[in-house]
Amino acid sequence: MDQVVEEVENVKKELEETYKQTQEHIKSIHDYGKSGTARLIPRLNGLAQDGMNLLQSLQFKLDLLAPQLPSDDQVEKTQSLAQSWKSQIQSLRLSLRNANLQAKANMRKAAQEERELLLGGGEESTVRRRNLQTKAGMTSAAESITESLRRSRQLMVQEVERSASTLMTVDESTGVLTKAESEYKGHRSLLSRTRNLLSTMQRRDILDRVILVVGFIIFSLAVLYVVSKRMGLLKLQRKLIEAVKSGTAGQVEIIAEAGRQGANVAQVQMNPVVPELNVPLEQAMHDEL
């Protein structure tokens, strides 16, 4: 079945159901005061008005769906049905007006009868008065219960709204906490990398200090070695110069001792004539290293 045809059928069924319910409400208004119905006239009028508004909207929807039907025959039948429903809605409005007039007349008649019974004497009047008092008390109790229920409903609505706002706040807080957790994880990895870099730098700093200390020690030893060697050579040179000048017999031992010290000493000729050397005692020596 086509979707438009199915929609039209649903609208027809809904129109019939709403029409029956509205007719029942209008009948209840018409019989108000006769059948002892407990519902009030304003409530019945509100239900009847709602039903007629729904009927009018359904009739308008049926009128819109009619041109979309696949065949011309269906279009004509649906349009005629929409017009008939329009007239039925008008008749319902008229029936509602007449029912309200009849309800007012029934209420006036019932009030007149009550007045006559209350003003009359006898046991029946007393019983009627008591029944009216009982009905008034029941009505007052029912009104107080209705008011309490209305307040309870209002409180429940406020609690539901407060709960919804609380849930929204909790959802927002959960999102913020999730974001903070992700940022904390990123910072934690950054901190671990920074800690590793700091430990590496500390190890390198210790290694550099060790290298500097070892280098300084080696340099100091080299300086001490050079100074000691230079001092020994200087003393040896002075002894050689003094031996050459004085021509003492211990020249051979001095030369041998110089050989043991590793010095580069020229060979001395054993001539009785010693040449005069003009070597300054404080002549500067060149570093052989």
Side-chain angles (χ1 to χ4, degrees), residues 38-232:
R39 291 187 292 182
L40 300 176
I41 291 293
R43 178 174 174 79
L44 293 171
N45 276 297
L47 293 174
Q49 289 290 341
D50 292 340
M52 283 188 290
N53 291 331
L54 181 59
L55 286 172
Q56 189 173 3
S57 64
L58 290 172
Q59 183 267 333
F60 183 72
K61 185 177 181 180
L62 186 65
D63 197 10
L64 290 177
L65 291 173
Q68 302 178 17
L69 291 171
S71 62
D72 295 337
D73 188 18
Q74 292 177 344
V75 172
E76 292 178 359
K77 288 181 179 180
T78 306
Q79 287 179 349
S80 62
L81 181 62
Q83 292 298 323
S84 66
W85 274 113
K86 187 176 181 180
S87 61
Q88 288 181 14
I89 293 170
Q90 293 295 331
S91 65
L92 278 177
R93 292 186 185 278
L94 183 60
S95 300
L96 179 61
R97 181 181 177 186
N98 294 330
N100 281 314
L101 293 175
Q102 184 63 37
K104 289 180 180 179
N106 293 336
M107 285 189 290
R108 284 195 299 268
K109 186 177 179 181
Q112 183 67 28
E113 291 177 356
E114 292 289 340
R115 191 180 299 108
E116 291 176 357
L117 287 173
L118 290 173
L119 293 175
E123 185 178 357
E124 185 179 359
S125 176
T126 304
V127 173
R128 188 68 175 174
R129 192 180 296 109
R130 289 177 181 175
N131 290 333
L132 286 174
Q133 291 177 355
T134 304
K135 288 182 180 180
M138 292 176 62
T139 304
S140 177
E143 289 178 354
S144 63
I145 292 172
T146 304
E147 185 65 24
S148 176
L149 290 174
R150 186 179 295 110
R151 288 195 299 268
S152 300
R153 179 181 176 276
Q154 186 67 26
L155 290 174
M156 290 177 67
V157 170
Q158 293 177 358
E159 289 295 328
V160 169
E161 293 177 353
R162 190 179 296 109
S163 299
S165 63
T166 304
L167 287 175
M168 292 177 63
T169 305
V170 169
D171 291 338
E172 293 177 357
S173 301
T174 304
V176 172
L177 288 175
T178 304
K179 185 178 180 181
E181 184 181 4
S182 62
E183 291 181 356
Y184 172 73
K185 288 180 179 178
H187 292 164
R188 185 171 60 183
S189 61
L190 181 60
L191 288 174
S192 62
R193 289 196 299 269
T194 305
R195 191 180 299 111
N196 294 331
L197 289 174
L198 287 175
S199 60
T200 304
M201 291 176 67
Q202 288 177 355
R203 289 195 297 269
R204 290 184 178 178
D205 181 60
I206 295 171
L207 183 61
D208 292 341
R209 290 182 181 181
V210 171
I211 292 172
L212 286 174
V213 171
V214 172
F216 180 75
I217 292 172
I218 294 173
F219 176 74
S220 299
L221 292 175
V223 170
L224 289 175
Y225 175 75
V226 171
V227 170
S228 64
K229 291 295 288 184
R230 177 172 293 182
M231 293 295 293

